[in-house]
Amino acid sequence: MSENPPRCETDVRCNGRLQDLKRQFEKKFGESPHFYAHAPGRVNLIGEHVDYCGYSVLPMAVQRSILAAVSVSSSGTIELTNTNPQYKDFTVPCLEEITIDRDNPEWYYYFLCGVKGVQENFGISPLAGMRCVLDGTIPPSSGLSSSSALVCCAGLVTMEANQKSLSKVALAEICAKCERYIGTEGGGMDQSISFLAEEGTAKLIDFDPLCATDVKLPDGAVFVISNCCVEMNKAASSHFNIRVVECRIATKVLAKSKGLDWNRLAKLAQVQTELKASLEEMLALVDEALHPEPYNREEICRVLGVTAEQLCTDLLSANTQHVTHFKLYQRARHVYGEAGRVLRFKAVCDSEPSEAMQLLGDLMNQSHASCRDLYECSCPELDQLVDTCLEAGAVGSRLTGAGWGGCAVSMVPSEKVESFLRAVREAYYTHDSRRAAMEEQSLFVSKPGGGAAIFLEK
Ligand code: GLA
């Protein structure tokens, strides 16, 4: 794991794109960019909705990213432009306090999250003025983390423009924290892999402390991403935070059932640590201490001995105040089960048994079933797409990212990739005009890409 700030000379992968962006920058601002930064999106291979519970995840960066061209200016403003005309220009004075409007998740607020995170970390005031043109190739609202890549890119750009230096780990932690200004209580997976990714390898990401370990995927396994074309913007809905809250309450109820100091514990992994139990024992505890029927507010207050007001202020978040029922049993079962699958996936990759592909595929399929049935973060189109991918020759297929729409990731034997792509195209995209129009962006092979970096022009 590198402790150095991410910095390198011009990256060949970005070269054509970089030249186009440079031209656009010069046209817009009448000067040349001083530097460039890019931050990739990611695909999570396994370990869904467990990072904010304290468990490890296993993603890889995709070869799609946010690329920024930047100049430092004396204008006293931060000027943002996007190459996609759908995203409007935005300017903010450096002397003004940066505010993020949670009710209106416009594209530039993600950028401002990254700016604010770095500003607060160093106590910079005022910020250096800068001009940025941003270009994104990660399909938005698709579960590939386009928003976190924008936050990470902004964090890097702000660090460089203000002549500061941070390690990749520190940047990942700052960006994970500051993205919460937008209102979603994500874990740190997306920002961590965006910074810590390395070309050619997936990563096991552990939290507390943050650490990334290479995971060598089996030769002959190709990962294909396919978008179900249902958009999911996690900041614009409360699905995501409801799950975070359900896990938090499940943590407290489980901890209390075992006589632990439950007030102090907020993540399901902490209960396991306190009990020094295995994940199998945690699954048994879930069966014993929680019931499958949803819990209502009164029951939670009774079990924890808290008032209705305390429930609202201490356990619910701003956009989950309306929730009346909480599926604690199902959510906790998913989390402890999924945490175990991540460890088994890593163990199979490390030991490379002859049936590695089949074992990994089975784990991916179990993960999807658990996301669909216990965590309820899939949707009918995504389930249909996953089934289509399996029928088309994938050994394993599952939703990736937050869910409720967006992408599936499938593991396909290399010799079957061409026929797989043909079959999925035919079954899922060709006959639906809206999907067909999105197909080029929606069905692609991705190798593990490199992490976020700053590029200086040669
Ligand atoms: C989003 C969050 C991540 C993670 C995934 C689900 O991408 O930002 O932190 O929780 O959902 O695994």
Side-chain angles (χ1 to χ4, degrees), residues 227-299:
N227 191 341
C228 78
C229 303
V230 173
E231 286 205 1
M232 154 53 175
N233 178 342
K234 62 183 185 300
S237 71
S238 54
H239 299 304
F240 189 90
N241 280 2
I242 293 174
R243 294 295 176 275
V244 176
V245 161
E246 287 175 312
C247 289
R248 193 183 299 148
I249 298 175
T251 300
K252 310 259 175 209
V253 174
L254 285 175
K256 185 145 195 241
S257 79
K258 295 303 273 182
L260 300 176
D261 180 7
W262 60 271
N263 248 315
R264 215 172 34 82
L265 306 180
K267 296 181 184 177
L268 286 165
Q270 294 170 330
V271 185
Q272 185 192 4
T273 308
E274 291 285 316
L275 294 176
K276 299 190 177 58
S278 66
L279 285 165
E280 288 66 38
E281 286 164 337
M282 292 312 294
L283 283 167
L285 174 63
V286 172
D287 283 339
E288 178 192 306
L290 301 177
H291 57 69
E293 298 73 34
Y295 288 66
N296 62 26
R297 288 179 174 231
E298 292 70 41
E299 184 177 6

Side-chain angles (χ1 to χ4, degrees), residues 399-427:
L399 69 81
T400 185
W404 294 284
C407 287
V409 56
S410 303
M411 190 174 68
V412 182
S414 52
E415 68 280 7
K416 286 195 184 164
V417 171
E418 285 313 312
S419 61
F420 172 86
L421 291 172
R422 231 178 300 121
V424 174
R425 203 172 286 138
E426 171 66 19

Side-chain angles (χ1 to χ4, degrees), residues 42 44 47-52 148 186-190 234 240 401-402:
R42 59 98 189 94
N44 190 21
E48 223 59 83
H49 289 280
V50 296
D51 57 349
Y52 51 83
S148 298
M189 163 167 70
D190 309 342
K234 62 183 185 300
F240 189 90

Side-chain angles (χ1 to χ4, degrees), residues 274-399:
E274 291 285 316
L275 294 176
K276 299 190 177 58
S278 66
L279 285 165
E280 288 66 38
E281 286 164 337
M282 292 312 294
L283 283 167
L285 174 63
V286 172
D287 283 339
E288 178 192 306
L290 301 177
H291 57 69
E293 298 73 34
Y295 288 66
N296 62 26
R297 288 179 174 231
E298 292 70 41
E299 184 177 6
I300 291 168
C301 291
R302 193 172 60 248
V303 171
L304 293 179
V306 298
T307 63
E309 290 69 40
Q310 284 169 324
L311 173 70
C312 291
T313 52
D314 300 349
L315 296 172
L316 304 183
S317 47
N319 68 349
T320 56
Q321 295 290 327
H322 63 286
V323 183
T324 54
H325 288 80
F326 304 84
K327 294 194 179 176
L328 307 186
Y329 171 88
Q330 291 81 348
R331 311 313 183 217
R333 270 208 76 90
H334 166 77
V335 170
Y336 291 125
E338 186 76 354
R341 281 186 285 276
V342 173
L343 301 180
R344 291 200 287 283
F345 195 100
K346 165 83 166 45
V348 171
C349 291
D350 288 349
S351 61
E352 298 183 72
S354 55
E355 72 283 28
M357 286 263 261
Q358 194 55 54
L359 294 171
L360 299 180
D362 291 347
L363 289 166
M364 291 174 74
N365 296 335
Q366 289 161 19
S367 169
H368 184 75
S370 181
C371 285
R372 181 191 60 211
D373 302 335
L374 293 174
Y375 220 67
E376 295 176 285
C377 62
S378 189
C379 68
E381 294 82 353
L382 204 40
D383 291 338
Q384 186 204 338
L385 178 58
V386 163
D387 290 343
T388 302
C389 290
L390 291 172
E391 280 158 26
V395 191
S397 185
R398 56 179 297 279
L399 69 81

